[in-house]
Protein backbone atom coordinates (compact mmCIF):
# COMPACT_ATOMS: atom_id res chain seq x y z
CA UNK A 1 0.00 0.00 0.00
CA UNK A 2 1.35 3.41 -0.94
CA UNK A 3 1.72 5.92 1.88
CA UNK A 4 1.18 9.62 1.23
CA UNK A 5 1.99 12.46 3.61
CA UNK A 6 -0.57 15.27 3.68
CA UNK A 7 -0.89 18.85 4.95
CA UNK A 8 -4.42 20.26 5.16
CA UNK A 9 -5.10 24.01 5.15
CA UNK A 10 -8.58 25.51 5.64
CA UNK A 11 -9.67 28.46 7.74
CA UNK A 12 -12.49 26.36 9.23
CA UNK A 13 -11.20 24.13 12.03
CA UNK A 14 -14.10 21.70 11.67
CA UNK A 15 -13.25 21.21 8.00
CA UNK A 16 -9.59 20.41 8.61
CA UNK A 17 -10.43 17.96 11.37
CA UNK A 18 -13.15 16.28 9.31
CA UNK A 19 -10.76 15.86 6.38
CA UNK A 20 -8.09 14.42 8.65
CA UNK A 21 -10.53 11.79 9.92
CA UNK A 22 -11.78 11.08 6.40
CA UNK A 23 -8.30 10.47 5.03
CA UNK A 24 -6.92 8.48 7.94
CA UNK A 25 -9.99 6.22 8.09
CA UNK A 26 -10.14 5.70 4.32
CA UNK A 27 -10.09 2.14 3.01
CA UNK A 28 -8.48 3.17 -0.28
CA UNK A 29 -5.29 1.68 -1.69
CA UNK A 30 -3.44 4.71 -0.31
CA UNK A 31 -2.49 5.10 3.34
CA UNK A 32 -2.69 8.76 4.34
CA UNK A 33 -0.41 10.30 6.96
CA UNK A 34 -1.74 13.74 7.91
CA UNK A 35 1.29 15.68 9.11
CA UNK A 36 -0.46 18.94 9.99
CA UNK A 37 -3.82 20.72 9.87
CA UNK A 38 -3.55 24.50 9.62
CA UNK A 39 -6.07 27.31 9.48
CA UNK A 40 -4.29 30.01 7.48
CA UNK A 41 -2.46 30.22 4.19
CA UNK A 42 0.65 31.64 5.86
CA UNK A 43 0.85 28.69 8.26
CA UNK A 44 0.16 26.30 5.42
CA UNK A 45 2.98 27.70 3.31
CA UNK A 46 5.41 27.37 6.20
CA UNK A 47 4.24 23.80 6.90
CA UNK A 48 4.80 22.71 3.31
CA UNK A 49 8.31 24.15 3.32
CA UNK A 50 9.00 22.40 6.64
CA UNK A 51 7.42 18.97 6.03
CA UNK A 52 7.70 18.69 2.22
CA UNK A 53 4.51 16.58 2.08
CA UNK A 54 3.39 14.54 -0.90
CA UNK A 55 0.05 16.35 -0.96
CA UNK A 56 -1.33 19.75 0.06
CA UNK A 57 -5.09 20.15 0.41
CA UNK A 58 -5.75 23.88 0.50
CA UNK A 59 -8.91 25.98 0.74
CA UNK A 60 -9.51 28.34 -2.15
CA UNK A 61 -10.69 31.31 -0.11
CA UNK A 62 -9.02 32.30 3.17
CA UNK A 63 -8.24 35.64 4.82
CA UNK A 64 -4.71 37.11 4.70
CA UNK A 65 -3.38 34.60 2.16
CA UNK A 66 -5.79 32.62 -0.02
CA UNK A 67 -5.20 29.27 -1.67
CA UNK A 68 -4.20 30.77 -5.01
CA UNK A 69 -1.39 32.79 -3.43
CA UNK A 70 -0.19 29.73 -1.51
CA UNK A 71 -0.05 27.72 -4.74
CA UNK A 72 1.65 30.53 -6.66
CA UNK A 73 4.37 30.91 -4.03
CA UNK A 74 5.01 27.18 -3.84
CA UNK A 75 5.28 26.84 -7.60
CA UNK A 76 7.59 29.86 -7.76
CA UNK A 77 9.92 28.03 -5.36
CA UNK A 78 9.69 24.91 -7.58
CA UNK A 79 8.07 22.90 -4.81
CA UNK A 80 7.05 19.47 -6.12
CA UNK A 81 4.21 18.85 -3.67
CA UNK A 82 0.96 17.85 -5.38
CA UNK A 83 -1.73 20.43 -4.67
CA UNK A 84 -5.49 19.92 -4.66
CA UNK A 85 -7.77 22.89 -4.04
CA UNK A 86 -10.74 22.58 -1.69
CA UNK A 87 -13.68 24.78 -2.60
CA UNK A 88 -17.39 25.32 -2.18
CA UNK A 89 -17.46 27.03 -5.59
CA UNK A 90 -17.87 25.20 -8.90
CA UNK A 91 -17.60 28.19 -11.26
CA UNK A 92 -15.35 27.71 -14.26
CA UNK A 93 -13.33 30.88 -13.60
CA UNK A 94 -12.42 29.71 -10.09
CA UNK A 95 -11.38 26.27 -11.35
CA UNK A 96 -9.33 27.80 -14.16
CA UNK A 97 -7.65 30.20 -11.71
CA UNK A 98 -6.53 27.29 -9.54
CA UNK A 99 -5.21 25.30 -12.47
CA UNK A 100 -3.32 28.25 -13.95
CA UNK A 101 -1.70 28.89 -10.58
CA UNK A 102 -0.29 25.35 -10.62
CA UNK A 103 -2.79 23.17 -8.75
CA UNK A 104 -3.10 19.52 -9.77
CA UNK A 105 -6.77 19.15 -8.93
CA UNK A 106 -9.92 20.75 -7.58
CA UNK A 107 -12.36 19.12 -5.14
CA UNK A 108 -15.76 20.46 -4.15
CA UNK A 109 -16.30 20.42 -0.40
CA UNK A 110 -19.69 18.83 -0.93
CA UNK A 111 -18.17 15.84 -2.74
CA UNK A 112 -18.85 12.45 -1.19
CA UNK A 113 -16.02 10.43 0.35
CA UNK A 114 -15.59 8.09 -2.62
CA UNK A 115 -15.30 10.99 -5.09
CA UNK A 116 -12.89 12.77 -2.77
CA UNK A 117 -10.54 9.80 -2.47
CA UNK A 118 -10.88 8.97 -6.16
CA UNK A 119 -9.75 12.47 -7.12
CA UNK A 120 -6.65 12.17 -4.95
CA UNK A 121 -5.82 8.74 -6.36
CA UNK A 122 -6.18 9.98 -9.93
CA UNK A 123 -3.91 12.96 -9.26
CA UNK A 124 -1.20 10.63 -7.98
CA UNK A 125 -1.64 8.42 -11.02
CA UNK A 126 -0.65 11.41 -13.11
CA UNK A 127 -4.05 12.76 -14.10
CA UNK A 128 -5.31 16.29 -13.55
CA UNK A 129 -8.80 16.55 -12.09
CA UNK A 130 -10.38 19.80 -13.20
CA UNK A 131 -12.82 21.48 -15.50
CA UNK A 132 -14.55 18.83 -17.54
CA UNK A 133 -15.09 16.43 -14.63
CA UNK A 134 -16.58 19.01 -12.29
CA UNK A 135 -18.56 21.13 -14.72
CA UNK A 136 -19.96 18.17 -16.60
CA UNK A 137 -21.21 16.65 -13.35
CA UNK A 138 -22.79 19.96 -12.32
CA UNK A 139 -24.69 20.41 -15.58
CA UNK A 140 -25.66 16.80 -16.17
CA UNK A 141 -29.21 17.49 -15.02
CA UNK A 142 -29.57 20.56 -17.23
CA UNK A 143 -28.34 19.50 -20.66
CA UNK A 144 -27.82 16.25 -22.51
CA UNK A 145 -24.28 17.01 -23.76
CA UNK A 146 -20.84 17.75 -22.38
CA UNK A 147 -18.02 20.00 -23.55
CA UNK A 148 -14.36 19.18 -23.97
CA UNK A 149 -11.79 21.31 -22.21
CA UNK A 150 -10.81 22.96 -25.50
CA UNK A 151 -14.46 23.73 -26.28
CA UNK A 152 -14.73 25.35 -22.84
CA UNK A 153 -11.65 27.47 -23.58
CA UNK A 154 -13.07 28.66 -26.89
CA UNK A 155 -16.43 29.36 -25.28
CA UNK A 156 -14.93 31.48 -22.52
CA UNK A 157 -12.83 33.49 -24.97
CA UNK A 158 -15.88 34.07 -27.16
CA UNK A 159 -17.73 35.37 -24.12
CA UNK A 160 -14.85 37.80 -23.51
CA UNK A 161 -15.15 39.24 -27.03
CA UNK A 162 -12.22 37.54 -28.78
CA UNK A 163 -12.51 37.05 -32.53
CA UNK A 164 -11.62 33.75 -34.22
CA UNK A 165 -8.28 35.18 -35.36
CA UNK A 166 -7.48 36.53 -31.88
CA UNK A 167 -8.15 33.12 -30.31
CA UNK A 168 -6.05 31.13 -32.73
CA UNK A 169 -2.56 32.11 -31.51
CA UNK A 170 -3.00 31.71 -27.72
CA UNK A 171 -4.84 28.42 -28.24
CA UNK A 172 -2.18 27.24 -30.71
CA UNK A 173 -4.86 26.52 -33.31
CA UNK A 174 -5.49 27.60 -36.87
CA UNK A 175 -8.30 30.07 -37.52
CA UNK A 176 -10.11 27.36 -39.44
CA UNK A 177 -9.96 25.00 -36.44
CA UNK A 178 -11.29 27.75 -34.17
CA UNK A 179 -14.16 28.22 -36.61
CA UNK A 180 -14.92 24.50 -36.39
CA UNK A 181 -15.01 24.64 -32.59
CA UNK A 182 -17.32 27.63 -32.78
CA UNK A 183 -19.62 25.81 -35.20
CA UNK A 184 -19.67 22.78 -32.90
CA UNK A 185 -20.62 24.97 -29.95
CA UNK A 186 -23.48 26.51 -31.91
CA UNK A 187 -24.67 23.03 -32.85
CA UNK A 188 -24.58 21.79 -29.26
CA UNK A 189 -26.37 24.84 -27.86
CA UNK A 190 -28.68 25.04 -30.89
CA UNK A 191 -27.82 28.68 -31.52
CA UNK A 192 -26.90 30.79 -34.55
CA UNK A 193 -25.67 33.99 -32.96
CA UNK A 194 -22.80 34.71 -30.60
CA UNK A 195 -24.99 36.62 -28.16
CA UNK A 196 -27.43 33.73 -27.81
CA UNK A 197 -24.60 31.20 -27.53
CA UNK A 198 -23.06 33.13 -24.63
CA UNK A 199 -26.45 33.67 -23.00
CA UNK A 200 -27.32 29.95 -23.07
CA UNK A 201 -23.83 28.94 -21.94
CA UNK A 202 -24.22 31.17 -18.89
CA UNK A 203 -27.69 29.83 -18.14
CA UNK A 204 -26.39 26.27 -18.22
CA UNK A 205 -23.42 27.14 -15.99
CA UNK A 206 -20.59 26.60 -18.47
CA UNK A 207 -19.26 30.12 -17.99
CA UNK A 208 -19.63 32.73 -15.26
Amino acid sequence: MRKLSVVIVDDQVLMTEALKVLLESSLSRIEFDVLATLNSGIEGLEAVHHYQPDLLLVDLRMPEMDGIEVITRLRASHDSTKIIVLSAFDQFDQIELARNAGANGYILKLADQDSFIDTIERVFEGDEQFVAEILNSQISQQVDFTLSERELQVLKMLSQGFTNAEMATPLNLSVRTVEKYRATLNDKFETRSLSLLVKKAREFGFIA
Side-chain angles (χ1 to χ4, degrees):
M1 178 180 290
R2 183 175 184 182
K3 188 171 184 177
L4 293 180
S5 56
V6 186
V7 167
I8 303 171
V9 183
D10 192 296
D11 61 339
Q12 297 180 357
V13 176
L14 288 177
M15 177 60 69
T16 58
E17 293 305 312
L19 289 172
K20 184 177 188 293
V21 172
L22 183 152
L23 292 178
E24 294 185 339
S25 64
S26 168
L27 299 178
S28 75
R29 59 182 180 270
I30 297 176
E31 180 183 351
F32 296 99
D33 178 20
V34 179
L35 302 176
T37 58
L38 294 314
N39 303 117
S40 78
I42 295 172
E43 292 176 332
L45 191 63
E46 293 173 348
V48 173
H49 286 316
H50 176 71
Y51 291 109
Q52 289 295 299
D54 298 308
L55 173 65
L56 169 65
L57 293 174
V58 60
D59 189 13
L60 182 67
R61 295 187 179 180
M62 296 181 290
E64 295 184 31
M65 183 185 294
D66 64 15
I68 298 301
E69 186 173 353
V70 171
I71 298 168
T72 301
R73 292 195 181 194
L74 287 174
R75 292 307 183 229
S77 65
H78 306 289
D79 192 285
S80 60
T81 296
K82 297 282 188 181
I83 303 172
I84 297 178
V85 168
L86 304 167
S87 180
F89 306 97
D90 58 8
Q91 292 95 336
F92 176 72
D93 60 338
Q94 298 296 311
I95 299 168
E96 185 179 45
L97 190 64
R99 182 177 59 178
N100 289 341
N104 303 99
Y106 192 104
I107 297 178
L108 296 178
K109 291 184 178 181
L110 294 179
D112 58 51
Q113 181 173 346
D114 289 342
S115 298
F116 198 93
I117 298 300
D118 181 64
T119 297
I120 295 174
E121 289 178 345
R122 287 177 179 272
V123 164
F124 276 93
E125 288 169 355
D127 294 334
E128 289 191 340
Q129 295 295 294
F130 280 105
V131 180
E133 293 86 349
I134 294 175
L135 289 186
N136 286 339
S137 67
Q138 294 298 310
I139 61 154
S140 61
Q141 301 302 315
Q142 302 180 52
V143 294
D144 59 0
F145 62 82
T146 59
L147 299 182
S148 69
E149 191 163 319
R150 183 49 62 88
E151 286 171 339
L152 284 167
Q153 290 174 332
V154 171
L155 181 59
K156 183 175 182 183
M157 292 184 78
L158 283 172
S159 73
Q160 294 173 337
F162 286 84
T163 65
N164 294 348
E166 290 170 339
M167 286 188 283
T169 299
L171 292 177
N172 197 28
L173 298 172
S174 68
V175 174
R176 179 170 233 174
T177 301
V178 173
E179 290 172 350
K180 288 181 179 179
Y181 275 114
R182 186 166 178 170
T184 299
L185 288 168
N186 276 316
D187 288 341
K188 287 187 174 183
F189 285 96
E190 299 181 348
T191 57
R192 292 187 178 182
S193 69
L194 175 59
S195 60
L196 185 55
L197 171 63
V198 171
K199 180 176 182 294
K200 292 185 74 171
R202 286 198 173 114
E203 289 174 352
F204 290 143
F206 284 101
I207 54 177

